[in-house]
Amino acid sequence: GGREVLKLLGYTEESGEGLSFPPPPGGPDPALVACVTADVIILRGELDLLLANQHPNPEFFTEILLGGDEVRLV
């Protein structure tokens, strides 16, 4: 969710009272948080399909994991 993305981007710190924003430069960039959140949601969906052996293009992941050439979507 959004809270995990904020933590990944370093915008939140855990304390005994919950999550808080670290000292400046300030709060998160909404566009960046939205972009990363969308990427995380898509990756979760892709991994779910891959783990269920229902992904239409599992070779993309094989190439990425083996360090092959950059995958180009056409």
Side-chain angles (χ1 to χ4, degrees):
R3 180 177 284 188
E4 292 300 317
V5 170
L6 289 172
K7 285 170 58 176
L8 287 172
L9 294 173
Y11 286 118
T12 57
E13 296 176 344
E14 290 200 44
S15 68
E17 299 174 3
L19 295 174
S20 63
F21 289 103
D29 173 10
L32 178 60
V33 172
C35 181
V36 173
T37 301
D39 286 345
V40 168
I41 291 170
I42 291 169
L43 178 60
R44 285 181 181 171
E46 295 274 350
L47 290 176
D48 286 344
L49 287 172
L50 191 62
L51 292 172
N53 203 26
Q54 296 178 352
H55 197 283
N57 300 302
E59 66 277 3
F60 291 161
F61 291 93
T62 303
E63 289 180 30
I64 292 168
L65 293 173
L66 294 177
D69 293 336
E70 186 176 317
V71 177
R72 295 193 175 116
L73 302 176
V74 179

